[in-house]
Amino acid sequence: MKYVTEYRDAALVAATMREIRRAVTRPWVIMEMCGGQTHAIVRHGIDQLLPPEIELVHGPGCPVCVTPLELIDKALDIAARPNVIFTSYGDMLRVPGTGRDLFSVRAAGGDVRVVYSPLDAVKIAQANPDKEVVFFAIGFETTAPANAMSVVQARALGLTNYSVLVSHVCVPPAMHAILGSPLNRVQGFLAAGHVCAVMGYWEYPPLAAQYGVPIAVTGFEPLDIAQGILSTVRQLEAGTHEVANAYARAVTFAGNVPAQRVIEQVFEVRDRQWRGIGLIPASGWGLRAEYAAFDAERRWDVGEIRTQESPLCIAGLILQGLKKPHDCPAFGAQCTPETPLGATMVSSEGACAAYHKYGRHLDIYQLGITN
């Protein structure tokens, strides 16, 4: 477990927290971009170990959470059709569309299957030539190479019964949108380590310079996150705005160049809707024209579906770092993992799911902690 257990060392984390306390002299707001980091922060209580001057807010780095409602409804429409095998990562099955989710479609007789790789979906298409197999291709830059490769492989195999419903979004444009908002509170970022493992961090220095914000590329273990916070705080206190790599064991400046090439081969940059946030220009990918035959939206003619979010759900404000999950009146009441109003409550990277799972909505009496 080299490179894992040492980053869970409580003594090293405590020492880093002492360094943070020595470094900080004024209030700062730092956003972690990745939902995986959010869950690690809440699970380990990292935000509660920090000095009161530092506030961590949660960003839109959960691809399931930002998949627009209309695209989920398109997925539900396709999955419910006869002769379709609809494949997806498990996170998506509980995400509510308008009135139902993919579990409901499966319960009603739809052939909805969980896969662990898009290449598994390609194998299903090979094994079922009389069925249409659709893969829900969601994710940030992290999952894009495998999703792109599934299309390349399907074409090489001559499969005409495989298509992908694409919902790919990119991190840097979302950071631009957050920093450019008149409501922005974010003064520094913890960048998503797994995204940077694929894409590198060459896109971030211009962003840091434009907005005058420090960025630390950060991993997912407690020490990773503590070191990323320390790096960001030191820069904030010094008035500098560089991009620091606090995850050098997994991330290089250039990233995984072959992975970037397969993304560029299959996808092109598109404007994308983000659930709860709205349209962010040039913030996602769609299939290039030469791969249009694998586009599930075109194949199933679901382009005109329109939806409306629940007025009770404030996930968009949470994803922009403007609110916390427990600021939502519906949190833990109308909105629970069993009855979610939005994806942030059921995704394994959702901020609301983290707060609910680790009891941030419970007071000491509910927890049974009394004197």
Side-chain angles (χ1 to χ4, degrees), residues 108-282:
D111 193 346
V112 178
R113 305 184 190 183
V114 173
V115 293
Y116 297 95
S117 164
L119 300 181
D120 293 339
V122 173
K123 291 177 182 177
I124 293 171
Q126 280 184 285
N128 295 272
D130 58 331
K131 299 281 189 178
E132 287 284 345
V133 177
V134 181
F135 176 70
F136 203 171
I138 69 161
F140 283 93
E141 296 92 331
T142 318
T143 59
N147 293 347
M149 187 55 68
S150 77
V151 175
V152 171
Q153 188 177 77
R155 186 163 76 166
L157 292 168
L159 297 178
T160 59
N161 65 327
Y162 179 74
S163 59
V164 290
L165 183 61
V166 179
S167 181
H168 269 300
V169 286
C170 305
V171 170
M175 295 170 74
H176 276 287
I178 289 165
L179 292 169
S181 168
L183 301 176
N184 173 54
R185 301 176 59 232
V186 178
Q187 297 164 293
F189 280 103
L190 304 182
H194 53 4
V195 169
C196 294
V198 174
M199 300 302 294
Y201 56 96
W202 50 270
E203 295 178 276
Y204 293 165
L207 192 153
Q210 178 179 347
Y211 295 101
V213 296
I215 301 171
V217 179
T218 309
F220 304 90
E221 300 299 336
L223 186 59
D224 285 319
I225 295 168
Q227 289 177 335
I229 294 168
L230 176 61
S231 172
T232 306
V233 168
R234 282 174 170 167
Q235 287 203 59
L236 288 167
E237 291 284 338
T240 59
H241 44 266
E242 307 297 328
V243 180
N245 185 4
Y247 198 33
R249 70 186 187 280
V251 172
T252 63
F253 182 77
N256 186 331
V257 175
Q260 294 170 34
R261 286 175 181 157
V262 75
I263 292 171
E264 187 176 357
Q265 175 187 342
V266 174
F267 295 122
E268 63 183 8
V269 174
R270 302 265 183 91
D271 297 344
R272 276 284 174 187
Q273 290 283 345
W274 293 53
R275 186 171 189 172
I277 298 175
L279 182 72
I280 300 180

Side-chain angles (χ1 to χ4, degrees), residues 1-9 13 17 36-41 43-44 46 190 193 218-229 246-247 249:
M1 295 296 289
K2 185 172 173 60
Y3 302 128
V4 176
T5 53
E6 54 265 67
Y7 286 86
R8 298 174 180 172
D9 188 302
V13 173
M17 289 294 174
Q37 292 167 339
T38 302
H39 273 252
I41 287 166
R43 175 188 177 190
H44 296 289
I46 293 171
L190 304 182
T218 309
F220 304 90
E221 300 299 336
L223 186 59
D224 285 319
I225 295 168
Q227 289 177 335
I229 294 168
Y247 198 33
R249 70 186 187 280

